Amino acid sequence: MESILPVYHQIKNSIKSWIINREYKAGEKIPSEVKLAEIFKVSRLTVRRAVAMLIQEGLLRSRRGEGTFVTRDEVLINSFGLEFSGFMDDLFYQTSESTTKSVEISRAVPPEMIAEKLGIEDKTQEVVVIKRVRLLRGKTFAYTINYLPPDIGDRITEQDLYRGPMLRLLEQELGVVFSEAFQTIEASFCDGAIAEKLGVSAGSPILFVERTMYNLQGRPVEVVQSSYRGDIYKYVVRLKMSKGKHGSVWVHRGAEPSGAPETDSA
């Protein structure tokens, strides 16, 4: 499997797709750890980690002495089967499944808020702006704008972006090592320009995601703005009640963190 996702996360997604596509129906037993390890050509420990994540998400149930079974909760299965859905890390890493429909690369003086987030004080300094229309499973689902410093952005070509995800390019080919990211997610409406890119009517609902990415030195090296079609993108967060010293609180208990922040540096 060639992907920016950890192997156990790839296996988790493969098993999840089996369930969503009803290759294994509600209540049906899935293959054993030994068999899954043979199928994916990995260790049992890797398989166990993937299965544990799906148990945590509620899609699988483990019965001691019997094996692991798909949940009987059809509503839950259907919620995962919505066209585009994900947990926090899935939104970041689903770029491994997306493709690029069109690319525009240019240089421009960034908006003041973007310059501030990139730590640019010179108001005349240009950055590299990359605009892409992106497909997931053959359907337009996002319009993304990446703002990058010239020392990074000038090394990226259109051909690079048609070959694979931006995140993989930055990490594996350009040697950028990310340490953290700050992300905001909000419901919004698209203007005419974005509507045209997404193939929807102006004023249609979108999920707007903005992320600032930092390298190991704490330098902001990228600002990403993605507009996701609200009619086909569902963003799912599972919360669990946790008891602490100061009483019970709701905490995010989605998929296990995989090193980076889903969303996607797409």
Side-chain angles (χ1 to χ4, degrees):
M1 300 177 186
E2 183 181 351
S3 172
I4 55 177
L5 281 167
V7 173
Y8 66 86
H9 206 304
Q10 296 176 53
I11 294 172
K12 184 205 81 167
N13 285 343
S14 293
I15 298 173
K16 181 187 287 187
S17 72
W18 294 347
I19 297 170
I20 292 171
N21 295 326
R22 300 305 196 271
E23 294 179 44
Y24 288 93
K25 298 179 176 60
E28 188 174 349
K29 184 177 180 179
I30 69 168
S32 66
E33 286 184 4
V34 173
K35 184 62 178 177
L36 288 171
E38 292 176 358
I39 292 172
F40 293 106
K41 295 181 173 56
V42 296
S43 69
R44 287 183 63 183
L45 182 61
T46 300
V47 167
R48 189 172 302 141
R49 192 171 184 182
V51 170
M53 293 171 71
L54 289 170
I55 291 173
Q56 187 179 48
E57 290 181 15
L59 280 176
L60 293 179
R61 295 284 187 269
S62 178
R63 299 180 195 166
R64 182 172 297 180
E66 296 182 46
T68 305
F69 298 78
V70 177
T71 178
R72 294 185 180 277
D73 188 343
E74 291 279 3
V75 174
L76 178 63
I77 295 173
N78 289 334
S79 73
F80 281 98
L82 293 169
E83 287 194 71
F84 306 119
S85 62
F87 286 89
M88 298 292 283
D89 56 339
D90 293 327
L91 183 58
F92 189 80
Y93 282 113
Q94 36 94 333
T95 49
S96 62
E97 299 181 13
S98 69
T99 56
T100 298
K101 178 181 179 181
S102 64
V103 179
E104 299 175 35
I105 302 178
S106 63
R107 269 198 179 220
V109 175
E112 185 175 343
M113 289 185 63
I114 299 297
E116 182 179 338
K117 290 173 182 177
L118 286 174
I120 297 173
E121 298 181 358
D122 183 354
K123 294 184 178 181
T124 65
Q125 182 177 329
E126 293 184 338
V127 297
V128 174
V129 182
I130 300 176
K131 300 179 180 180
R132 289 171 296 146
V133 175
R134 296 163 51 216
L135 305 175
L136 191 60
R137 302 169 199 163
K139 295 183 180 181
T140 300
F141 84 111
Y143 176 61
T144 298
I145 304 177
N146 299 72
Y147 298 91
L148 301 121
D151 61 313
I152 297 175
D154 283 343
R155 299 158 63 192
I156 298 173
T157 67
E158 288 188 23
Q159 290 71 25
D160 291 331
L161 296 169
Y162 283 115
R163 283 191 296 108
M166 173 76 84
L167 182 61
R168 181 187 301 162
L169 172 64
L170 292 172
E171 289 186 318
Q172 299 184 3
E173 298 186 31
L174 300 186
V176 178
V177 180
F178 294 108
S179 62
E180 60 180 345
F182 179 78
Q183 175 175 284
T184 60
I185 303 172
E186 61 181 286
S188 187
F189 297 93
C190 59
D191 59 23
I194 293 178
E196 183 179 355
K197 299 291 186 182
L198 293 177
V200 297
S201 302
S204 295
I206 57 172
L207 182 67
F208 181 76
V209 178
E210 181 178 276
R211 183 175 319 100
T212 304
M213 306 282 290
Y214 298 85
N215 65 12
L216 284 175
Q217 291 71 45
R219 174 196 175 194
V221 294
E222 181 186 28
V223 174
V224 189
Q225 293 180 332
S226 293
S227 298
Y228 296 91
R229 281 182 56 168
D231 60 331
I232 57 176
Y233 198 101
K234 303 294 182 182
Y235 187 58
V236 180
V237 175
R238 183 176 303 282
L239 300 174
K240 295 281 188 176
M241 182 65 78
S242 177
K243 296 185 181 297
K245 294 181 180 179
H246 304 291
S248 298
V249 294
W250 289 99
V251 296
H252 172 243
R253 292 287 300 278
E256 180 178 321
S258 53
E262 190 246 282
T263 115
D264 70 81
S265 177

